[in-house]
Amino acid sequence: MLDERRWAIEREIMRRRFPWILPFETESGCIGFFGQLRGPKTGVRYEILIKIPANLYPETEPPIYLEPRIGGNWRADNVNRNPNGKLCYDRPGFEAWHPARGTFANCVLVAADYLKSQGA
């Protein structure tokens, strides 16, 4: 379960590495970040949303959502129950999610790598 200290650290990491991707908290108890990533090859802007119920973080990796969708790598979202599903990705070059070391910033890097792999 997320504590205030960890959430403050997560926001600071994101502010330093990806200042254009902003934090949010919902009244229903979710936390996350939203903003834009640019496709490295095409320059197309993709909206990125990384969202998870605070009571599941950091034990559970937060789902990643990209709009417009690219590729066919979407699967059922058992965390947020998004009917459109979440991004399904391999983690080549990235270690598996580990609650003590994983961060929202890691998820942004995975999303950027995914866009690159899709020729975006």
Side-chain angles (χ1 to χ4, degrees):
M1 178 173 213
L2 181 68
D3 64 38
E4 273 305 311
R5 183 171 178 265
R6 171 77 183 248
W7 181 225
I9 291 168
E10 293 274 0
R11 291 189 313 254
E12 181 60 19
I13 291 169
M14 288 292 287
R15 185 188 68 75
R16 287 183 182 179
R17 297 187 74 191
F18 307 105
W20 62 91
I21 300 178
L22 303 174
F24 68 86
E25 297 179 48
T26 68
E27 289 183 15
S28 64
C30 288
I31 58 166
F33 292 86
F34 69 95
Q36 292 185 345
L37 290 176
R38 192 177 293 271
K41 294 180 183 174
T42 64
V44 171
R45 290 181 185 209
Y46 292 86
E47 296 210 4
I48 182 172
L49 172 67
I50 306 167
K51 176 183 171 186
I52 189 165
N55 65 346
L56 297 179
Y57 190 79
E59 293 77 19
T60 302
E61 182 174 17
I64 301 168
Y65 310 95
L66 292 172
E67 286 293 333
R69 289 185 172 226
I70 184 171
N73 301 317
W74 301 89
R75 68 173 175 193
D77 179 2
N78 297 323
V79 175
N80 293 309
R81 308 275 186 237
N82 183 323
N84 296 319
K86 65 180 181 177
L87 182 64
C88 178
Y89 48 86
D90 293 324
R91 289 182 150 272
F94 297 93
E95 69 177 57
W97 181 258
H98 189 280
R101 293 189 301 272
T103 65
F104 282 92
N106 296 133
C107 295
V108 173
L109 294 174
V110 166
D113 187 65
Y114 177 78
L115 288 175
K116 184 178 177 183
S117 76
Q118 297 298 304

